[in-house]
Amino acid sequence: MRLEDDPLLPVELKQDARLHDAAALAAILAGTEAALVSSDGFTAMLHGLAWRDAALWMAACRRALRAETPVAGPGDLRVLGAVPLPGSDTGLIGVIGKRGPGLCAAKLAALRHLAALLPVAPRTHVRGWAPRAYEAARIGSFEWDRATGLLTTSDALCRIFGLPVAPCHPIGVLEALVLPEDMAIRSGASSRADGSAQPDVEYRIRRADDGGLRWVARRSTFLHDAAGQVIGMAGTVQDITEVKLAALRMEVLVDLGDRLRDAMAAAPVLEAAAEALGQALGTERAGYAEQEAGGTVSHVLRDWTMTGTPSIAGHHAVASFLATQQVLQSARVLVVEDVTAMPDLAQDRPAFAALGVRALLVVPLVPSEGGSAVLFAHSMRPRHWSPADVQFARGVADRTHAALARLRAEAAQNLLNHEMGHRLKNTLSTVQAVAAQTLREVMPRGPVEALEQRIHALSTAHETLLPQSRAGASLRLVAERVLQALAQSTGCILKGPEVMLGPRAALSASLLLHELATNALKYGALSVPSGRVEITWMLEGQGSDAELVLEWREIGGPPASLPHRLGFGSKLIRMGLSGGGGTELRYLPTGFEADLRAPLEELQEAG
C-alpha cells in the first residue's frame, strides 16, 4: 500500500501524493529497483519498498548522503546514492538497488535536478504526523554510530525505555535496562561490531523512570561502508507489552479453568486464583480475603507472592481499612494507582504502608451466606492499571466465584444424597425383613431366598452409588461389591478399563452380575473349588457409536446346559446391561459364556 493511500494520513499531506511519482521517476533515472523521497526528514513516499522498512531505509539513505558512498540496507539491496532536497535540512531522494557500484556523476546530476523541482512539505505537515503515528503504535526509531558509540533516538524510543527525551543516548544506557535473563538476546558490543547480532528480536526491559516491566520488539539492519565494514546499525523498537500480556493472560485463563474444574475443595481454587492473578498482572502479591457480616476481622485465606515479598495470609483488623471498605461499597472494582495520592484512603495509608503496598486492585466477589469476599493484587510501587488489567482481574474473580459456588452446591448435594441414601438403605432393610417374616412359612425356600438376595443386591448397589454422590459408579467397583457380597471375590478375575456407569445402569449391572454370579455359584464354575470366572470388558467404536462390551467366561467348572425354564433371573440376564437386550448366551461343555453389549452413551445417562 502506498503511504498516500493510508486512511490515517492527514489531508494536508495527501496533496504531496505526487512525491510518489517523483520516487518512481528517481528509480527510472538511476536505473534502480526502488527509491525513496523524504520531505523534511520523514519518509513520505516509497517506490518498490515495503512500508514496514521505511525507518531502516531512511537511516541508510541519511548515512549514504553523509558518506557519499553506497550503504547496505535490509535484504540484498543497498542505497546506491542519495541527494538532498534544496530548502530542506533533512529532506532527500535516495535510490536503492542490487549490490554494485555507486551512481555515476550523470545520474547524480539527474537526481539533483529532480530534487530541485520538488516542493518541500511544511514542517508541521510532515514531521508533525510521523511522531503521532509512531507514538500511537508505540514505535521508536534509532541509529547507532559505531565511531561514536552513540545512539540517535526518536522521542518515542526514549519514552518506551523511560529515558529523558534527547537526540541521542550512549548505547550502554539502553543495554543496562534489559532484564538479566534476556541479556543474551539483545545485541552486544562484539555482535554489533562484526554484524552477527540478530536483526529481529524480542526482549524485556525495566523502564528507567518508573521501573515498569515492558516487552519490546527490535527490528534492525546493519549499515556498511563500501568495503563492507559495519559502520552503524539502524532500526525500530516497538512496545509489544500489551500483545504479550494478552497472549499470556489467555494462557493463564485456560490453565486456571483446568485447575478450577479439577479442584475438589476451596483451598486449591483460592491458590490457583491468587497465582493466576499475580503472575498475569506481574504484581508482587495477589490473594483472596473474606470477612463475615459485621465482623471485626478480615481473613486472608490464600495469597501468592513474588520471590522476596512477604505473605500476609492470616487475620487483619477491619478497623485499619475502614476507608477502603467504604470505597469498595460503591465500586465494582477498586483501582488505586498510588495509595499516597488518593485522598479517600488517607486514613488507611499507615496500614498499607505496613504491608508495603503502594498500588492495589481489588475485585469484590458476589457475597454468599452473608459477609463479603474479594480478590486483590498488590504492587509495591505506584502503578497504572490498564483497562485490560481490570478486565482480566474481573475474569479471574468471576471464574473463582463460579468454582466456589459449584463446590458449595456439591457439598449441599452430597449431604442430601447421604441422607437420602441412608433412608433408602433403611427402607430396603425393612422391605427385606417384612418379606422374610411374611414368607417364612412358604415352601420351597428357593424363590424366597432368591427374593431376599435380590433385595440385598439392590441395597449393595445403592451403597456403591452413595460415596460417588449418586452421579454413577465405576463398573469395576460395581462388580467388586457384588462379588464381595457373595464371598466370591477370590474366584473371579476382573479385567477392563475405567468405565463410569450412570445411576440406572449401575443398578441394572449390579442386579445382572448378581444373577450371573449366583448361577455360577449354584450350577457353574464357582460351584467347584477348581473353577473360576473371568469378567472382561472393553470399549468398541468412538464418539456416539461407542459401545461397552462385557464378556463373562466360566472356566474349570461343570458343562453348561440350557435351563429347563426361564425364571426371573434368566429373563433379567437376557435383558442385558441396558434392559434392551444385546445379549448372547452360550451353554458350552467347557462352561457358560455370555457376551453383553450396550451403547456407552445410554449406560452413562444420568437418569
PDB file of all heavy atoms in Angstrom, residues 123-139:
ATOM      1  N   ARG A 123       6.941  21.860   7.562  1.00  0.00           N
ATOM      2  CA  ARG A 123       7.396  21.034   8.685  1.00  0.00           C
ATOM      3  C   ARG A 123       6.230  20.510   9.511  1.00  0.00           C
ATOM      4  O   ARG A 123       6.229  19.365   9.937  1.00  0.00           O
ATOM      5  CB  ARG A 123       8.347  21.843   9.560  1.00  0.00           C
ATOM      6  CG  ARG A 123       8.912  21.089  10.752  1.00  0.00           C
ATOM      7  CD  ARG A 123       9.898  21.963  11.502  1.00  0.00           C
ATOM      8  NE  ARG A 123      11.033  22.301  10.662  1.00  0.00           N
ATOM      9  CZ  ARG A 123      12.135  21.566  10.592  1.00  0.00           C
ATOM     10  NH1 ARG A 123      12.241  20.453  11.276  1.00  0.00           N
ATOM     11  NH2 ARG A 123      13.128  21.935   9.812  1.00  0.00           N
ATOM     12  N   THR A 124       5.200  21.322   9.718  1.00  0.00           N
ATOM     13  CA  THR A 124       4.083  20.882  10.556  1.00  0.00           C
ATOM     14  C   THR A 124       3.296  19.779   9.889  1.00  0.00           C
ATOM     15  O   THR A 124       2.641  18.994  10.553  1.00  0.00           O
ATOM     16  CB  THR A 124       3.135  22.052  10.857  1.00  0.00           C
ATOM     17  OG1 THR A 124       2.730  22.638   9.605  1.00  0.00           O
ATOM     18  CG2 THR A 124       3.819  23.087  11.701  1.00  0.00           C
ATOM     19  N   HIS A 125       3.323  19.737   8.540  1.00  0.00           N
ATOM     20  CA  HIS A 125       2.564  18.701   7.857  1.00  0.00           C
ATOM     21  C   HIS A 125       3.260  17.359   7.908  1.00  0.00           C
ATOM     22  O   HIS A 125       2.637  16.328   8.056  1.00  0.00           O
ATOM     23  CB  HIS A 125       2.344  19.091   6.389  1.00  0.00           C
ATOM     24  CG  HIS A 125       1.360  20.210   6.231  1.00  0.00           C
ATOM     25  ND1 HIS A 125       1.123  20.804   5.020  1.00  0.00           N
ATOM     26  CD2 HIS A 125       0.579  20.834   7.126  1.00  0.00           C
ATOM     27  CE1 HIS A 125       0.203  21.754   5.176  1.00  0.00           C
ATOM     28  NE2 HIS A 125      -0.131  21.783   6.447  1.00  0.00           N
ATOM     29  N   VAL A 126       4.568  17.383   7.751  1.00  0.00           N
ATOM     30  CA  VAL A 126       5.280  16.124   7.609  1.00  0.00           C
ATOM     31  C   VAL A 126       5.825  15.613   8.927  1.00  0.00           C
ATOM     32  O   VAL A 126       5.469  14.566   9.412  1.00  0.00           O
ATOM     33  CB  VAL A 126       6.416  16.276   6.575  1.00  0.00           C
ATOM     34  CG1 VAL A 126       7.155  14.969   6.404  1.00  0.00           C
ATOM     35  CG2 VAL A 126       5.841  16.734   5.244  1.00  0.00           C
ATOM     36  N   ARG A 127       6.665  16.387   9.561  1.00  0.00           N
ATOM     37  CA  ARG A 127       7.306  15.900  10.785  1.00  0.00           C
ATOM     38  C   ARG A 127       6.312  15.807  11.921  1.00  0.00           C
ATOM     39  O   ARG A 127       6.481  15.023  12.830  1.00  0.00           O
ATOM     40  CB  ARG A 127       8.463  16.817  11.178  1.00  0.00           C
ATOM     41  CG  ARG A 127       9.577  16.832  10.145  1.00  0.00           C
ATOM     42  CD  ARG A 127      10.850  17.361  10.722  1.00  0.00           C
ATOM     43  NE  ARG A 127      11.371  16.477  11.754  1.00  0.00           N
ATOM     44  CZ  ARG A 127      12.480  16.736  12.431  1.00  0.00           C
ATOM     45  NH1 ARG A 127      13.149  17.853  12.186  1.00  0.00           N
ATOM     46  NH2 ARG A 127      12.907  15.913  13.334  1.00  0.00           N
ATOM     47  N   GLY A 128       5.247  16.590  11.876  1.00  0.00           N
ATOM     48  CA  GLY A 128       4.264  16.512  12.952  1.00  0.00           C
ATOM     49  C   GLY A 128       3.450  15.239  12.910  1.00  0.00           C
ATOM     50  O   GLY A 128       2.984  14.755  13.920  1.00  0.00           O
ATOM     51  N   TRP A 129       3.270  14.666  11.710  1.00  0.00           N
ATOM     52  CA  TRP A 129       2.444  13.465  11.602  1.00  0.00           C
ATOM     53  C   TRP A 129       3.200  12.204  12.032  1.00  0.00           C
ATOM     54  O   TRP A 129       2.663  11.339  12.692  1.00  0.00           O
ATOM     55  CB  TRP A 129       1.975  13.305  10.157  1.00  0.00           C
ATOM     56  CG  TRP A 129       1.180  12.066   9.959  1.00  0.00           C
ATOM     57  CD1 TRP A 129      -0.104  11.843  10.319  1.00  0.00           C
ATOM     58  CD2 TRP A 129       1.631  10.840   9.369  1.00  0.00           C
ATOM     59  NE1 TRP A 129      -0.507  10.593   9.992  1.00  0.00           N
ATOM     60  CE2 TRP A 129       0.550   9.945   9.400  1.00  0.00           C
ATOM     61  CE3 TRP A 129       2.845  10.420   8.814  1.00  0.00           C
ATOM     62  CZ2 TRP A 129       0.633   8.653   8.892  1.00  0.00           C
ATOM     63  CZ3 TRP A 129       2.926   9.127   8.309  1.00  0.00           C
ATOM     64  CH2 TRP A 129       1.832   8.267   8.353  1.00  0.00           C
ATOM     65  N   ALA A 130       4.469  12.115  11.679  1.00  0.00           N
ATOM     66  CA  ALA A 130       5.230  10.904  11.953  1.00  0.00           C
ATOM     67  C   ALA A 130       5.298  10.568  13.440  1.00  0.00           C
ATOM     68  O   ALA A 130       5.007   9.446  13.827  1.00  0.00           O
ATOM     69  CB  ALA A 130       6.636  11.024  11.380  1.00  0.00           C
ATOM     70  N   PRO A 131       5.682  11.522  14.303  1.00  0.00           N
ATOM     71  CA  PRO A 131       5.744  11.162  15.724  1.00  0.00           C
ATOM     72  C   PRO A 131       4.391  10.704  16.264  1.00  0.00           C
ATOM     73  O   PRO A 131       4.328   9.792  17.077  1.00  0.00           O
ATOM     74  CB  PRO A 131       6.208  12.464  16.396  1.00  0.00           C
ATOM     75  CG  PRO A 131       6.906  13.218  15.319  1.00  0.00           C
ATOM     76  CD  PRO A 131       6.159  12.898  14.074  1.00  0.00           C
ATOM     77  N   ARG A 132       3.297  11.341  15.822  1.00  0.00           N
ATOM     78  CA  ARG A 132       1.981  10.940  16.327  1.00  0.00           C
ATOM     79  C   ARG A 132       1.657   9.507  15.924  1.00  0.00           C
ATOM     80  O   ARG A 132       1.142   8.724  16.714  1.00  0.00           O
ATOM     81  CB  ARG A 132       0.900  11.897  15.798  1.00  0.00           C
ATOM     82  CG  ARG A 132       0.976  13.298  16.376  1.00  0.00           C
ATOM     83  CD  ARG A 132      -0.350  14.014  16.182  1.00  0.00           C
ATOM     84  NE  ARG A 132      -0.729  14.097  14.772  1.00  0.00           N
ATOM     85  CZ  ARG A 132      -0.371  15.070  13.948  1.00  0.00           C
ATOM     86  NH1 ARG A 132       0.429  16.030  14.402  1.00  0.00           N
ATOM     87  NH2 ARG A 132      -0.786  15.089  12.697  1.00  0.00           N
ATOM     88  N   ALA A 133       1.960   9.166  14.677  1.00  0.00           N
ATOM     89  CA  ALA A 133       1.702   7.809  14.212  1.00  0.00           C
ATOM     90  C   ALA A 133       2.574   6.802  14.960  1.00  0.00           C
ATOM     91  O   ALA A 133       2.112   5.737  15.374  1.00  0.00           O
ATOM     92  CB  ALA A 133       1.960   7.711  12.711  1.00  0.00           C
ATOM     93  N   TYR A 134       3.868   7.140  15.130  1.00  0.00           N
ATOM     94  CA  TYR A 134       4.773   6.227  15.824  1.00  0.00           C
ATOM     95  C   TYR A 134       4.405   6.099  17.298  1.00  0.00           C
ATOM     96  O   TYR A 134       4.506   5.022  17.881  1.00  0.00           O
ATOM     97  CB  TYR A 134       6.220   6.710  15.672  1.00  0.00           C
ATOM     98  CG  TYR A 134       6.886   6.185  14.419  1.00  0.00           C
ATOM     99  CD1 TYR A 134       6.211   6.189  13.203  1.00  0.00           C
ATOM    100  CD2 TYR A 134       8.179   5.686  14.461  1.00  0.00           C
ATOM    101  CE1 TYR A 134       6.818   5.705  12.060  1.00  0.00           C
ATOM    102  CE2 TYR A 134       8.800   5.200  13.304  1.00  0.00           C
ATOM    103  CZ  TYR A 134       8.104   5.218  12.106  1.00  0.00           C
ATOM    104  OH  TYR A 134       8.706   4.729  10.986  1.00  0.00           O
ATOM    105  N   GLU A 135       4.006   7.205  17.919  1.00  0.00           N
ATOM    106  CA  GLU A 135       3.587   7.157  19.319  1.00  0.00           C
ATOM    107  C   GLU A 135       2.362   6.256  19.470  1.00  0.00           C
ATOM    108  O   GLU A 135       2.258   5.470  20.414  1.00  0.00           O
ATOM    109  CB  GLU A 135       3.268   8.565  19.841  1.00  0.00           C
ATOM    110  CG  GLU A 135       4.496   9.442  20.048  1.00  0.00           C
ATOM    111  CD  GLU A 135       5.250   9.089  21.318  1.00  0.00           C
ATOM    112  OE1 GLU A 135       4.795   8.200  22.054  1.00  0.00           O
ATOM    113  OE2 GLU A 135       6.289   9.709  21.579  1.00  0.00           O
ATOM    114  N   ALA A 136       1.398   6.407  18.542  1.00  0.00           N
ATOM    115  CA  ALA A 136       0.174   5.598  18.618  1.00  0.00           C
ATOM    116  C   ALA A 136       0.488   4.114  18.518  1.00  0.00           C
ATOM    117  O   ALA A 136      -0.149   3.280  19.162  1.00  0.00           O
ATOM    118  CB  ALA A 136      -0.791   6.018  17.508  1.00  0.00           C
ATOM    119  N   ALA A 137       1.465   3.771  17.698  1.00  0.00           N
ATOM    120  CA  ALA A 137       1.841   2.367  17.531  1.00  0.00           C
ATOM    121  C   ALA A 137       2.926   1.932  18.508  1.00  0.00           C
ATOM    122  O   ALA A 137       3.374   0.790  18.451  1.00  0.00           O
ATOM    123  CB  ALA A 137       2.329   2.139  16.094  1.00  0.00           C
ATOM    124  N   ARG A 138       3.352   2.833  19.394  1.00  0.00           N
ATOM    125  CA  ARG A 138       4.435   2.559  20.349  1.00  0.00           C
ATOM    126  C   ARG A 138       5.689   2.084  19.615  1.00  0.00           C
ATOM    127  O   ARG A 138       6.276   1.057  19.947  1.00  0.00           O
ATOM    128  CB  ARG A 138       3.992   1.534  21.399  1.00  0.00           C
ATOM    129  CG  ARG A 138       2.880   2.009  22.322  1.00  0.00           C
ATOM    130  CD  ARG A 138       2.709   1.050  23.488  1.00  0.00           C
ATOM    131  NE  ARG A 138       1.727   1.512  24.444  1.00  0.00           N
ATOM    132  CZ  ARG A 138       0.449   1.148  24.422  1.00  0.00           C
ATOM    133  NH1 ARG A 138       0.027   0.325  23.483  1.00  0.00           N
ATOM    134  NH2 ARG A 138      -0.402   1.598  25.318  1.00  0.00           N
ATOM    135  N   ILE A 139       6.080   2.847  18.612  1.00  0.00           N
ATOM    136  CA  ILE A 139       7.265   2.512  17.826  1.00  0.00           C
ATOM    137  C   ILE A 139       8.270   3.655  17.927  1.00  0.00           C
ATOM    138  O   ILE A 139       7.932   4.812  17.698  1.00  0.00           O
ATOM    139  CB  ILE A 139       6.908   2.280  16.341  1.00  0.00           C
ATOM    140  CG1 ILE A 139       5.939   1.097  16.199  1.00  0.00           C
ATOM    141  CG2 ILE A 139       8.162   2.024  15.514  1.00  0.00           C
ATOM    142  CD1 ILE A 139       5.466   0.872  14.779  1.00  0.00           C
TER     143      ILE A 139
END
